[in-house]
Amino acid sequence: MDCKISECSTANTDTENTPSRSVKKLNVPEPTEDELAKLFESLRHSGRKPALLAIIPPYSDNYIPTPVQENFPTVLTELRDDTAMHLNYAELLQKCQHFELVVSEEQAKTVEISTWEQSNSKLWYRFRAGIGLKDKNSL
């Protein structure tokens, strides 16, 4: 070769020397709002689900996980109250008297349909957590 790679310089490029390497500076203009909108629309219609759109409203609506979108009831594990761990039995009963868990028929049906696969469904484990004698610590 005519020169070593480390000694070759690139002609007609604006470079900034740093101790470790040369960095090319390109003069690329900022995209306009219209250009960005066209890009996001083309990504949306690409047949894929590009991660970039997850942070761009209104495209981000399509990236909300199904359990958040569906009408699910409160999961029992979300009801855990660490302050109740130190209550005696009478105090715990009193605290529970003010608690009401309501599950509509629509929510029950949504859970049933979403967990038909049982052990193959992550949702099945989520809704099953805290129920049963195998997991005594989560009761």
Side-chain angles (χ1 to χ4, degrees):
M1 292 180 67
D2 294 327
C3 65
K4 293 181 183 176
I5 293 175
S6 60
E7 295 172 356
C8 290
S9 64
T10 54
N12 300 329
T13 60
D14 186 14
T15 60
E16 180 182 294
N17 291 323
T18 61
S20 61
R21 65 179 190 192
S22 297
V23 178
K24 273 188 192 178
K25 282 188 175 181
L26 300 175
N27 294 326
V28 178
E30 291 280 325
T32 65
E33 290 293 323
D34 188 47
E35 290 172 328
L36 286 174
K38 287 178 183 176
L39 170 67
F40 298 150
E41 276 299 313
S42 67
L43 288 173
R44 186 177 126 210
H45 295 294
S46 69
R48 306 223 184 259
K49 204 167 182 181
L52 171 66
L53 295 181
I55 60 169
I56 309 294
Y59 307 103
S60 57
D61 293 344
N62 296 325
Y63 291 80
I64 299 172
T66 302
V68 176
Q69 290 177 337
E70 296 289 341
N71 183 16
F72 287 118
T74 303
V75 179
L76 295 178
T77 53
E78 293 175 6
L79 301 174
R80 182 184 174 104
D81 182 358
D82 289 333
T83 62
M85 299 299 288
H86 304 291
L87 299 177
N88 64 37
Y89 183 70
E91 293 169 331
L92 185 58
L93 284 177
Q94 185 177 10
K95 184 175 180 78
C96 291
Q97 285 180 348
H98 302 289
F99 173 77
E100 183 178 339
L101 178 62
V102 178
V103 178
S104 70
E105 286 195 35
E106 178 188 347
Q107 289 174 320
K109 190 68 174 172
T110 301
V111 170
E112 179 186 352
I113 291 169
S114 300
T115 58
W116 275 340
E117 295 180 7
Q118 291 194 2
S119 62
N120 293 328
S121 166
K122 291 180 183 180
L123 287 174
W124 184 73
Y125 286 105
R126 182 173 173 219
F127 285 105
R128 188 180 178 278
I131 301 174
L133 299 175
K134 290 183 179 180
D135 191 9
K136 296 176 188 172
N137 294 329
S138 65
L139 292 175

